[in-house]
């Protein structure tokens, strides 16, 4: 069965600092992997996705993620965080774009 | 391009009452999804439509939840009767088709059952 673990419920970083959000997955085959962001009162927005090919994926808003098959991980990174990045971040895994399983999310707080 | 529209945005009901949520997907999107997001959890897929047909409803509690997409465009999700544990945000999403097409999410309906 497919599952996603986001070990960090809440992370606080200072504005301008680097960010890494962790995501570990369990899946029997090569998965489709996604990162979504959810701002308060809004729906989810896709940041980036991995299907195949280059394991370092670039997304919107300056985010990137790296697929590491040996570690079953798909961590999200950003070199310099902006106050507007404060939100909830969800990692998801699935056999395709339709049948995704989401992690519980990581809430990001950005300190001035 | 207009996004996914949902209404109402907020709803408070008492347990055992019924409630309905409405979703209008992005124009031309054939695939429509309903998710339940309980506080502190990620979204869980309840049902997926392809046009007006159900593709996957394996996680829909069919004894109390129902959904339809009669004309293959907008959709309604109903809960009857509601339980306290149904308190959640109900998200609607749509995509151009099944497969590698991105899902676009609406703002959600926050349901509180008292």
């Amino acid at each position: 069965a497919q599952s996603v673990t986001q070990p960090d419920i809440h992370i606080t970083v200072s504005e301008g600092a680097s960010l890494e959000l962790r995501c570990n997955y369990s899946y029997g085959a090569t998965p489709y992997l996604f990162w979504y962001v959810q701002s308060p009162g809004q729906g989810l927005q896709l940041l980036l996705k991995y299907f195949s090919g280059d394991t370092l994926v670039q997304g919107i808003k300056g985010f990137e993620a790296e697929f590491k098959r040996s570690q079953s991980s798909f961590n999200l990174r950003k070199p310099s965080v902006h106050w507007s990045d404060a939100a909830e971040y969800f990692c998801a895994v699935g056999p395709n774009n339709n049948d995704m399983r989401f992690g519980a999310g990581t809430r990001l707080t950005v300190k001035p | 391009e207009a996004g996914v529209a949902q209404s109402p945005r907020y709803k408070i009901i008492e347990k055992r009452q019924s409630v309905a949520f409405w979703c209008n997907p992005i124009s031309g999107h054939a695939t429509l999804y309903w998710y339940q997001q309980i506080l502190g959890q990620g979204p869980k897929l309840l049902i997926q439509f392809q046009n007006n047909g159900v593709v996957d409803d394996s996680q829909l509690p069919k004894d109390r939840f129902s959904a339809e997409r009669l004309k293959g465009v907008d959709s309604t999700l109903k809960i009857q009767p509601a339980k306290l544990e149904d308190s959640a945000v109900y998200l609607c999403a749509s995509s151009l088709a099944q497969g590698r097409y991105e899902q676009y999410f609406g703002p959600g309906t926050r349901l509180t059952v008292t």
Side-chain angles (χ1 to χ4, degrees):
Chain A
Q2 59 200 44
S3 66
V4 178
T5 301
Q6 294 181 246
D8 305 304
I9 296 174
H10 183 207
I11 283 182
T12 300
V13 299
S14 298
E15 191 169 15
S18 63
L19 170 69
E20 182 169 28
L21 302 181
R22 296 184 290 164
C23 173
N24 295 101
Y25 68 89
S26 173
Y27 193 72
T30 300
Y32 285 26
L33 293 158
F34 310 84
W35 274 100
Y36 284 85
V37 60
Q38 186 176 36
S39 297
Q42 299 189 24
L44 281 77
Q45 181 184 22
L46 181 66
L47 286 175
L48 48 80
K49 60 191 176 192
Y50 172 79
F51 291 157
S52 63
D54 192 345
T55 57
L56 185 62
V57 181
Q58 301 298 320
I60 62 171
K61 304 185 180 187
F63 286 93
E64 68 176 25
E66 186 171 11
F67 170 57
K68 293 186 177 180
R69 184 188 302 274
S70 61
Q71 298 177 21
S72 297
S73 70
F74 189 57
N75 294 349
L76 182 72
R77 300 194 294 251
K78 187 170 185 178
S80 178
V81 170
H82 188 262
W83 64 266
S84 60
D85 293 324
E88 187 96 17
Y89 290 81
F90 293 94
C91 180
V93 63
N96 50 50
N97 200 22
N98 304 125
D99 186 18
M100 294 186 291
R101 293 291 184 266
F102 287 85
T106 297
R107 183 162 61 93
L108 174 65
T109 298
V110 180
K111 293 191 301 184
Chain B
E1 176 182 83
V4 177
Q6 290 188 247
S7 68
R9 293 295 309 277
Y10 305 92
K11 188 75 177 178
I12 301 174
I13 62 172
E14 296 182 351
K15 59 184 179 182
R16 291 188 289 273
Q17 286 186 321
S18 62
V19 64
F21 312 126
W22 175 82
C23 172
N24 190 277
I26 293 173
S27 178
H29 281 196
T31 311
L32 185 146
Y33 314 78
W34 282 104
Y35 290 85
Q36 179 191 57
Q37 185 177 16
I38 293 172
L39 186 64
Q41 299 181 20
K44 182 183 81 171
L45 179 67
L46 293 176
I47 188 167
Q48 177 188 340
F49 291 94
Q50 177 69 15
N51 296 311
N52 61 353
V54 175
V55 174
D56 181 5
D57 63 357
S58 57
Q59 298 191 85
L60 187 74
K62 298 180 187 63
D63 58 333
R64 298 183 299 106
F65 286 64
S66 64
E68 60 184 15
R69 194 185 183 200
L70 293 176
K71 296 183 179 179
V73 181
D74 55 353
S75 174
T76 55
L77 176 70
K78 297 178 182 177
I79 308 175
Q80 182 179 10
K83 293 185 176 182
L84 295 177
E85 58 261 37
D86 298 331
S87 294
V89 175
Y90 291 85
L91 296 167
C92 179
S94 70
S95 64
L96 196 59
Q98 293 181 277
R100 294 192 175 190
Y101 298 98
E102 179 180 345
Q103 292 188 33
Y104 294 85
F105 286 79
T109 296
R110 181 176 297 278
L111 172 67
T112 301
V113 182
T114 63

